[in-house]
Amino acid sequence: MTPDEFRKNGHRVVDWIADYYEHLETFSVLSPVKPGDIRAALPPAPPEHGEGFDAVLRDLDEVIMPGITHWQHPSFFAYFPANASGPAILGDLLASGLGVQGMLWATSPAATELETHVLDWLRDLLGLPETFCGNGVIQHTASDAALVALLAALHRASGGRTEQEGVHSGRFTVYTSTQTHSAVEKACRVAGLGADALRKIDVDPATQAARPEHLRTLIEADVAAECTPALVVASVGTTGTGAVDPVRALGEITREYSAWLHIDAAWAGVAAICPEVRWLNDGLELADSYSTNPHKWLLTNFDCDAFWVADRAALLGALSILPEYLRNAASESGAVIDYRDWHVPLGRRFRALKLWAVIRWYGAEGLRAHIRTHVALAQEFASWVAADERFELVAPHPLSLVTFRLREGDDATRALMERVNAGGRLYLTHTAVNGQVALRFAIGSPQTQRRHVEAAWAALSA
Ligand SMILES: Cc1ncc(COP(=O)(O)O)c(C=O)c1O
């Protein structure tokens, strides 16, 4: 594709995306296709001769679009949001256009320095501890962040032995609440500890937040059995109900036993951009690492997980390997960051560009307005649920996730969800709270307005 052909087709693609956003509301939120429908509509073999971009755009409309679930739809209330926005899409396009691979500072100095700088901006915007300053990196996802935190924790707990001897250099244990995202168990499996190394901390049934006294009991039993507590993961905003663990109390116990404290704030963390919800940050000065996803609720296209460490030594100790072909003067002088040592892959995209574009386009006040709109809508939605005696709220809802159920029971609650989702006008998902089915109503699309939340409540209550 020549630059001129790129220009011509690129304009059409940008128009296509702009049209998509203009007409987003007309689509059914959930894709109606059946398993195998999309593959059946695709040619069995790749083309022998190149095709024009017309053919690609035609098949995008005719074959691909029916199989799209519209995450950016204003009535997408499922899971947690995966925000996209104009500046992030354009920033991502620029990153693709530049096509740089920023594994080392030297392989594109701006890719590294912009990333460090933008994460310092974000640290400041979120009111995170000073110790994170200069110690931020973009991971693909919160799951990668949890894995990397575990590897750093194992490095520290083993005195650097895990790098040579593996996880069998000790009997390491990991602690997190029953409500924590499955990413932590996956990290234990990937790191070779196995799920048996993971201890689940009980939660308070009313708040769904971890009980510090149970963490202490679990750790004491392990220490008595000659295990080494390596990592405690606290959640700021659990996946099921958005519960916020008591980070300070968990952190104090973690410190007593010299374990690593990682905070998984994948969804909720970005809300701390609003000073009125800075209580989310209580105790973070005790954290060794912290992650939150601008790709969930801060207008930055997937993927973009912001991860910080208070002290980078253990992270680098766990992950840095220096083969001859990656040696270079700038790195060895210690004057620069080489992000290849801060995550699992070697190569990396210039993901900071889209986050930079988002922060510059919206400014701090625009980002705060984005969060505040959703929090206010969720509070209003929760008040409607509370006022209807057929329903009950099942957990606190200080941000933009509301969990609730029908008093009639699990079957009725599940049937309600299936019925409204089948209608195609909205999409919400479920969870289990204290062993009972509950519906999750997560507001977070930049396109969502009050009328969409009203329409959703009208459908649910009808
Ligand atoms: C609290 C929490 N942690 C981790 C994750 C995993 O996120 P990611 O897709 O970034 O790995 C999620 C996903 O929803 C989550 O809610």
Side-chain angles (χ1 to χ4, degrees), residues 80 141-143 181 183 237-239 264 266 293 295-296 302:
F80 280 135
T141 66
S143 304
H181 192 271
T238 59
T239 312
D264 177 358
N293 287 352
H295 74 224
K296 280 189 163 52
F302 195 84

Side-chain angles (χ1 to χ4, degrees), residues 406-423:
L406 277 168
R407 291 184 195 275
E408 208 180 318
D410 285 358
D411 291 346
T413 303
R414 210 180 278 111
L416 173 61
M417 176 181 77
E418 283 163 9
R419 201 172 327 137
V420 294
N421 285 347

Side-chain angles (χ1 to χ4, degrees), residues 51-219:
E51 299 176 69
F53 219 75
D54 286 348
V56 174
L57 288 177
R58 188 192 59 235
D59 286 351
L60 178 68
D61 283 329
E62 291 174 8
V63 180
I64 304 299
M65 288 308 282
I68 294 293
T69 288
H70 299 278
W71 281 70
Q72 306 310 318
H73 195 289
S75 298
F76 183 99
F77 302 111
Y79 307 104
F80 280 135
N83 281 183
S85 71
I89 296 167
L90 295 175
D92 220 8
L93 182 60
L94 289 169
S96 294
L98 288 171
V100 302
Q101 204 274 62
M103 59 186 176
L104 305 174
W105 177 86
T107 60
S108 214
T112 295
E113 295 195 15
L114 185 70
E115 184 160 329
T116 312
H117 202 74
V118 168
L119 287 192
D120 275 357
W121 278 5
L122 189 60
R123 182 207 68 78
D124 191 40
L125 287 169
L126 301 182
L128 299 176
E130 289 277 335
T131 46
F132 293 167
C133 211
N135 283 332
V137 57
I138 298 178
Q139 303 280 346
H140 293 100
T141 66
S143 304
D144 292 289
L147 174 61
V148 162
L150 174 57
L151 298 175
L154 289 170
H155 171 89
R156 201 170 75 181
S158 69
R161 288 170 55 208
T162 42
E163 284 70 64
Q164 292 303 322
E165 298 168 34
V167 291
H168 301 299
S169 55
R171 291 178 60 208
F172 302 107
T173 45
V174 175
Y175 306 81
T176 199
S177 98
T178 56
Q179 299 304 304
T180 298
H181 192 271
S182 56
V184 177
E185 180 170 333
K186 197 183 244 186
C188 289
R189 291 202 215 167
V190 174
L193 284 179
D196 284 352
L198 182 62
R199 313 288 188 251
K200 296 275 179 78
I201 312 166
D202 290 344
V203 296
D204 178 319
T207 62
Q208 300 292 304
R211 290 176 44 233
E213 60 279 16
H214 190 227
L215 171 64
R216 183 179 292 287
T217 307
L218 291 170
I219 291 186

Side-chain angles (χ1 to χ4, degrees), residues 414-450:
R414 210 180 278 111
L416 173 61
M417 176 181 77
E418 283 163 9
R419 201 172 327 137
V420 294
N421 285 347
R425 300 313 310 152
L426 71 136
Y427 182 27
L428 80 170
T429 48
H430 75 289
T431 187
V433 181
N434 298 327
Q436 290 181 295
V437 175
L439 303 185
R440 296 172 73 266
F441 193 79
I443 302 176
S445 164
Q447 334 295 327
T448 303
Q449 299 168 21
R450 189 172 185 278

